[in-house]
Amino acid sequence: MSATVKVTVDGRTIEVPAGTLITDAAREAEVHVPIFCAHSKLPPLGACRICVVEVGMPKLGPGRLPVTGADGAPEIAWLPKVQTGCTTTVADGMHVRTDSAVAVKARKGVMEFLLVNHPLDCPVCDEGGECQLQDLAFAFGADFSRMADAKRTFVSEDLGPIVKKEANRCIVCMRCVRYCDEMMGDDALTAHQRGVLTEISSFNRQPLECEQCGNCIEVCPVGALTALPYRFKARPWDLRQHITVCPYCPAGCSVRLGVRGMEILRARGTEFRGVNQEYLCVRGRFGYEFVSSPDRLSSPLLRLGGSLAPAGFDEAVTYAAARLRDIAAAHGPQAIAFLGGDKLNLEEQYLFQKLARGVLGTSNVDARTRATARLPGDAILRATGAGRPSLTLDQLSRAGEALVLGDDLQGEAPYVQSLLILGQHQNGLHLTVAHPRRVKLARSKFGGEWLALKPGSELTLVNALTAASLEAGVPAGVPAEVGAALASLASALGSPEAGARETGISADDLRRAAKRLCAADQKAIVFGRAYTEHPQAAALVQAIENLGWASGALTAKRASVMFVGPQHDSQGALDMGLTPDRLPGYVDPADAAARRPFEQQWGAALDLSPGLSAPEILEAAAEGRVKALWIVADEWVKSAPDRARIERALERCELVIVNDLFLTATAKRAHVVFAAASFAEKEGVAVNCERRLQRSARAISPRRGARPDGEIFQAVARGLGATWSYRTPEDVFREIARLTPGYQGLSWAQLLPLGPQWTSPAPLAGPRIAPAIAPAAAEAGDGLWMLSGGTLFLQGSLSYRGAQLPKLAGEARARLHPDQAQRLGIGDGDTVEIAGSGGSVTLAATLDDAVPAGSVFVPYAFRECDLNRLGAPAGAGLRVRVRKTAAALVGA
Amino acid sequence: MSATRSLVAALSSDLLQPLRISDATRAEIEKSLTRYPNRRSAVMPVLWALQLEIGWLPPAALRYAASVVELPESEVFGIATFYTMFNLRPVGRHHLQVCMTLSCSLMGADRLFRHLEKKLGIGHGETTPDGRFSLRRVECLAACGGAPCLQVNFDYHENLDEAKVDRLLETLE
């Protein structure tokens, strides 16, 4: 069978891969074949029949030779009946007609059946104007109905707070049911009854118990499922549509914002666009609400006489620049430090560090939120393959084996989770999830293996998997120096048996997991903030690099290790040098030749000392060595590991500048607060977890008084005497593309949704294989392990500012295993006090057998409690004491 | 693993009236689970066994069935609604099930059904206040030769007309 076949659709001959469906071939030939039930992410079904076409093959005569007609063209033997285009694959020489009398009549007949019971309520239906059924009825339907009987009717239902169901409009295409099953792994929807009475609903018609992603609404081709938050708000033709990149997680989904006037009314995906196509998670779909929050800052604030007061932009810039200059003059530039920036666009990240390094002369720059430990600036780069072509999200879902280390992807990157579920079901992917809690992926209904490691044994686990991988020898195809290093690492690591004791996972299970990973042709290792924000982060990331080379996930040519960072542009922050020891493009400042282009462009001699990392900056500020802090777009007071330390740091600093959309707890302690623009109000590039560069459009003008962060940085730089004159983010990007290894040759114009992946022609850092050993720390006491992590509905301070997400999230609870709770005398709903070395928090308890005994899980929950009040983690994590308390709940 | 999930869901559910199942039914369920290569294939016999014991299928029974056959709860609910032989509400002492499929329909099932509605004062899926009768339209009872057919609990009554139905009802206490 040849790899491609020739097929003729309505007279247009095209060449497509063998196995292509007729509907996809027709799209290729730019012939419109209507579709309801088929979906690019779902296998063929053939439920709705609207895609019927006439299909023929060349007529064969004697000797199986094609019969030609008078004009020399082959005669076509048309099949006697129409075929569904969405279930029929093309064959070489196939002819398809969508415009013949037979095909048109058949389609019209299907249309008439679909409309038998469909109500004529388009004027009050939210789908009206963008409804596929409406469009097709207009194009192919009759202009009258032959049905004389009453239509069958159903009662409309609210399936929870998100989904409104009007079953009368349903054409039973089953897209919603199948998407929920195969992509989300949730099975929240099902078909009730049969025949003409078939109705889509939930178990016992209860509110949906699911991720509330609203993808069922998105894939519904009619108005049967609509979004309650958007109900009756707008007509689609009143909305301007702008494609932006979602500001929440590093998957980098394209979000189509529907804007009327200055207000964002909804967010949608778009089939065949972006990494996500139609998919959005609940945060992507409903998390934009913070943009129009009335609590947004409407002007910069300056601290005058002890309290923050509104100020003009120029006034704030002049003040900030003057104070920065004074502090640099009095204490040296090393007394200034810049924190944050994962949430900025790439251009703004570049300007932020350029301001620090090129204008002020300090390399105290660090972006990593919740940083608990110093991590070398190129550690993640090396662990993910040092700039070699990296795994795409699509390849991830097609891998044979994927190992997910430590992250609960449901909270950290829901789209990555869905791709893994889809891969399990459709592509035979085998999933191994190493997580102390039984997270959603660890109990996937499509199977897979859960490595239920004991909390605190993360490093041991990765080392044990490396040891088990190396038992079969060093993989073929690794560079010679790596091979030698791996061989000596193998003897240093010992056998997996030692790891088995500490992790609680049997050596056999460890060996099997390692064997699956090594044996798979296409494989993937996924890790994220659970490891990079771990107290042993540096050792863990080194251990992942060791495992990558030992298992063959990293080779001389390819890299199959994916870093799923904590924010949507965490990868960009690393690439742009928001790390104390690396310039943009991971250039080592100690390398004179490599740093020269930056010095020339910036017109400054760079500070060559490695700067302070985030925890060191906070420590230095608390001790009075750092006098000025500039914090960008993050709630550091509530998220930095040690509450006492960050409070002391902010108190002692002579100058604290904060850029944010809101007056956060961090901003409240600042001397200068710049009102920043939101993701929807500025243009810029973000780099997602597959290192794809995507540009998002500006959907609305910035809120009155707010400015894009890049403008703020430029104004302050000019106030400090720099001659920056960037008019647009594009100007900045051009400079980045000129200077930065790996970004060279990229142009602004090509960075639309599904933009190019960033790869370097040569690896940016050599492999380093080294034993990954965490510094021995004093045992942090007995107590329970404090487990935390992201949750589906809330991520970061912005997600709290809308209406939908906090409502869906409900109240955060301390989750305990039923056995553990029983031992502590705690019942479901009891109020408990969690006490650590630094302080305590009080909240209600919930029993949950997904949480291992010997630990307590509380999600990152800024509203209910600030977990950093518990103190700094030591050793491999934080230990706490939990006890039942009679005290009333106290908000933090 | 879905057993765990369903159990958690059941524990947290306000719908869980204590589900009491006799040892005989439990044994019957265990037996049907071993009858097929996949547990999910046993969903019909499991639901049937539960209905025989309880008389209908309350949400707790459906959740229990989902957990033992390892199917999503929503799917089990869909199955239970697909088949007219499963009752998702309690039924009266005499469950009148009128076949509405082709042969019976041609032989006057509609007329018969309307007669029953009028006589008992209840509609499809309803039960008389005294709990004596429930009425339901059902799919083919495979008794086309005796159309129209009415199933009362487990008994078939064939070749019916209004008069015969009236006489039948009098015998049902």
Side-chain angles (χ1 to χ4, degrees), chain A residues 125-140:
Chain A
C125 175
D126 271 342
E127 193 82 359
E130 55 186 1
C131 172
Q132 295 172 47
L133 187 66
Q134 196 182 32
D135 292 349
L136 293 182
F138 190 72
F140 307 119

Side-chain angles (χ1 to χ4, degrees), chain A residues 234-483:
Chain A
R235 309 300 327 207
W237 54 84
D238 287 337
L239 299 177
R240 282 177 288 126
Q241 315 266 357
H242 298 276
I243 295 192
T244 62
V245 176
C246 177
Y248 284 102
C249 86
C253 294
S254 291
V255 178
R256 184 158 50 106
L257 297 176
V259 179
R260 189 176 58 194
M262 285 287 285
E263 201 185 354
I264 302 172
L265 291 177
R266 68 169 183 191
R268 296 190 66 176
T270 310
E271 206 181 353
F272 308 117
R273 293 288 294 272
V275 295
N276 52 317
Q277 314 224 317
E278 274 189 297
Y279 178 100
L280 285 182
C281 72
V282 62
R283 296 197 297 254
R285 200 176 298 281
F286 302 108
Y288 61 82
E289 291 174 319
F290 69 84
V291 174
S292 42
S293 162
D295 301 334
R296 287 274 301 270
L297 289 172
S298 55
S299 78
L301 305 174
L302 277 182
R303 186 167 297 282
L304 299 167
S307 64
L308 284 169
F313 181 68
D314 294 340
E315 192 186 352
V317 167
T318 312
Y319 179 80
R323 295 290 293 127
L324 284 170
R325 194 186 301 116
D326 292 349
I327 289 169
H331 306 284
Q334 301 310 325
I336 301 172
F338 283 22
L339 282 176
D342 288 58
K343 292 182 184 176
L344 299 178
N345 287 331
L346 195 74
E347 300 79 23
E348 296 167 337
Q349 291 168 337
Y350 173 80
L351 292 183
F352 193 42
Q353 61 85 38
K354 181 176 172 180
L355 178 57
R357 292 196 169 101
V359 179
L360 288 165
T362 172
S363 42
N364 298 335
V365 191
D366 207 354
R368 281 169 289 113
T369 51
R370 289 174 191 280
T372 7
R374 187 182 175 109
L375 193 58
D378 63 346
I380 292 172
L381 175 80
R382 282 188 288 102
T384 55
R388 289 179 180 82
S390 56
L391 200 67
T392 63
L393 287 170
D394 187 55
Q395 286 166 341
L396 178 66
S397 83
R398 289 172 202 285
E401 169 77 24
L403 170 65
V404 179
L405 289 171
D407 262 20
D408 176 9
L409 291 176
Q410 183 179 38
E412 303 299 342
Y415 182 51
V416 179
Q417 168 179 274
S418 283
L419 283 177
L420 291 169
I421 293 172
L422 181 88
Q424 280 188 304
H425 183 49
Q426 291 183 6
N427 309 328
L429 175 143
H430 184 277
L431 190 59
T432 304
V433 179
H435 202 291
R437 283 185 296 129
R438 189 162 200 163
V439 294
K440 181 171 173 178
L441 274 184
R443 49 168 202 263
S444 167
K445 61 174 180 167
F446 297 122
E449 184 85 16
W450 174 37
L451 300 179
L453 71 158
K454 289 182 188 160
S457 67
E458 292 80 11
L459 183 59
T460 313
L461 173 84
V462 183
N463 280 334
L465 287 172
T466 309
S469 301
L470 289 171
E471 282 183 337
V474 173
V478 300
E481 75 274 17
V482 175

Side-chain angles (χ1 to χ4, degrees), chain A residues 181 185-195 201-206 209 438 442-445 447-448 848-849, chain B residues 1 4-5 8-9 13-15 59-60 62-63 72-79 81-84 88 136 139-140:
Chain A
D181 170 10
D186 267 357
D187 294 301
L189 291 167
T190 191
H192 291 187
Q193 304 287 341
R194 58 156 78 182
S201 193
S202 57
F203 177 84
N204 203 28
R205 300 181 182 275
Q206 289 165 8
E209 289 169 16
R438 189 162 200 163
R443 49 168 202 263
S444 167
K445 61 174 180 167
D848 183 352
D849 65 2
Chain B
M1 55 178 62
T4 320
R5 183 175 43 174
V8 172
S13 164
D14 51 351
L15 280 160
L62 292 170
R63 286 188 193 275
E73 290 162 359
S74 59
E75 199 170 334
V76 171
F77 194 84
I79 291 165
T81 58
F82 184 90
Y83 295 99
T84 52
L88 294 173
R136 187 168 195 186
E139 298 297 333
C140 188

Side-chain angles (χ1 to χ4, degrees), chain A residues 57-68 74-78 92-93:
Chain A
M57 290 298 288
K59 195 181 272 179
L60 296 180
R64 297 191 62 77
L65 293 170
V67 179
T68 49
E75 269 188 47
I76 305 302
W78 296 99
D92 201 26

Side-chain angles (χ1 to χ4, degrees), chain A residues 169-189:
Chain A
R169 299 176 186 151
C170 178
I171 59 168
V172 203
C173 67
M174 302 298 283
R175 266 185 169 190
C176 54
V177 174
R178 297 200 303 146
Y179 204 91
C180 191
D181 170 10
E182 298 186 17
M183 188 83 188
M184 308 306 301
D186 267 357
D187 294 301
L189 291 167

